[in-house]
Amino acid sequence: MPDQPPKTVIISGGTTGMGRAVALERLARGDHVTVIGSNRARGRALLDRAAGTNLRFLQADLSSIAEVERVVTDISERHQAIDALALFANRISAGYAGTPDGLEYTFALYYLSRHLLGHRLRPLLDAAPDPVIVNVAGVGNTAGKIFWDDPQLTRRYGQVRAQLQAGRANDLLGVAFAGQAGSKARYILYHPGFTRSGADAHPNPLVRNAIRLLARFFARPVADAIRPIVDWIDHPPAGALSAFDRGKPVDLSLKTLNPDDAARLAAYTQDLLRSRGHTS
């Protein structure tokens, strides 16, 4: 067991798959872990599995801006500093679904919740000695783009299009966050590749079964996929922004990490939040 003092770790989307595995690994090291998830039964099962006092489960629908704000308030009232924020929350939506804020569901959950958690919790991250944010998405993949004329996909929704757009948005989120002057938190974009994780989240039972079958033969074990995340929490990379695709560093000059596009998305996000009575 590493000779490290206990850390405070926040994990969004942490009741299943990789997020759950990271939570259990960090709990085994003596950390204080808060897991955010929408499914109460899965949260209860994780609490039972952990069987300790160092785990908290916060039930929340992170596709809702108000719910993210509630989570941030809860965490801020309980902690003076956060050592690590690990972002996993995502769920496939087969058809177009709108949130109470009038946003496309995948955009709201997969991208906007991560934007809000990182920015809202930044003061607590900056209060820690060596803070890190790990955003688990699809960096290194160049498929997909931001549909600047229709980011909410109101005219041309498709579940693959929505997932790829949100993945590229997370790439740009990392670029924009790391470009802020004065933040201590190192930002890591991480693409774990195809893992034996997350099949149960797909709404179509035929697709779930197909993913499970493919995973048996081609997917990486979850333990292998999370190992870098567990280690980064103790030893973040030196740079303000790092990106890794299945264990290999990603060239930060990749077109999907364009700083101008990152600034454009940040401005769009600020306007979107302001129009709904929030600040970025």
Side-chain angles (χ1 to χ4, degrees):
M1 183 129 348
D3 184 17
Q4 291 274 350
K7 294 182 179 290
T8 298
V9 179
I10 310 297
I11 302 176
S12 75
T15 60
T16 60
M18 290 177 60
R20 180 176 184 272
V22 170
L24 292 171
E25 283 286 337
R26 295 309 309 188
L27 286 165
R29 296 178 182 226
D31 290 353
H32 299 274
V33 178
T34 297
V35 166
I36 309 161
S38 61
N39 190 297
R40 183 180 296 276
R42 288 176 179 164
R44 184 70 258 171
L46 180 58
L47 289 168
D48 292 342
R49 168 72 182 273
T53 59
N54 285 350
L55 174 66
R56 290 186 66 237
F57 169 64
L58 281 177
Q59 185 179 15
D61 174 5
L62 294 178
S63 70
S64 161
I65 296 172
E67 283 283 271
V68 177
E69 299 285 16
R70 177 178 64 82
V71 164
V72 168
T73 298
D74 180 285
I75 292 169
S76 299
E77 289 174 348
R78 291 176 179 269
H79 299 287
Q80 295 182 329
I82 293 171
D83 296 285
L85 173 63
L87 302 167
F88 293 92
N90 184 23
R91 184 176 296 119
I92 293 170
S93 179
Y96 182 90
T99 71
D101 301 298
L103 304 175
E104 189 272 314
Y105 178 82
T106 304
F107 181 94
L109 177 63
Y110 189 6
Y111 163 69
L112 188 60
S113 75
R114 301 183 186 208
H115 172 97
L116 287 167
L117 287 170
H119 284 274
R120 295 289 195 267
L121 294 175
R122 176 182 163 181
L124 295 182
L125 287 157
D126 287 342
D130 207 20
V132 63
I133 299 173
V134 183
N135 188 335
V136 180
V139 70
N141 183 0
T142 57
K145 64 179 182 178
I146 308 297
F147 291 89
W148 297 110
D149 63 330
D150 183 26
Q152 300 308 313
L153 302 179
T154 56
R155 298 190 300 273
R156 45 186 172 181
Y157 180 83
Q159 66 183 38
V160 174
R161 179 180 286 123
Q163 284 287 315
L164 289 175
Q165 174 179 247
R168 303 292 70 77
N170 275 299
D171 294 347
L172 299 176
L173 170 58
V175 174
F177 190 98
Q180 297 178 118
S183 180
K184 288 171 60 179
R186 267 67 60 81
Y187 208 105
I188 302 171
L189 296 166
Y190 177 48
H191 180 202
F194 184 28
T195 66
R196 295 172 192 167
S197 167
D200 292 339
H202 200 285
N204 186 314
L206 295 177
V207 175
R208 284 201 302 271
N209 290 334
I211 292 173
R212 291 191 189 108
L213 180 61
L214 288 170
R216 288 177 56 192
F217 298 101
F218 301 110
R220 297 175 67 195
V222 171
D224 291 346
I226 69 163
R227 190 171 296 117
I229 302 172
V230 174
D231 292 342
W232 287 324
I233 291 173
D234 286 326
H235 305 289
L241 176 66
S242 303
F244 299 90
D245 181 358
R246 289 160 285 191
K248 296 181 180 180
V250 172
D251 186 344
L252 297 182
S253 66
L254 199 67
K255 65 178 183 179
T256 48
L257 300 172
N258 183 286
D260 292 337
D261 288 341
R264 184 178 181 183
L265 180 62
Y268 168 79
T269 305
Q270 290 168 4
D271 289 344
L272 181 152
L273 290 169
R274 193 176 301 114
S275 70
R276 287 156 176 80
H278 300 269
T279 57
S280 181

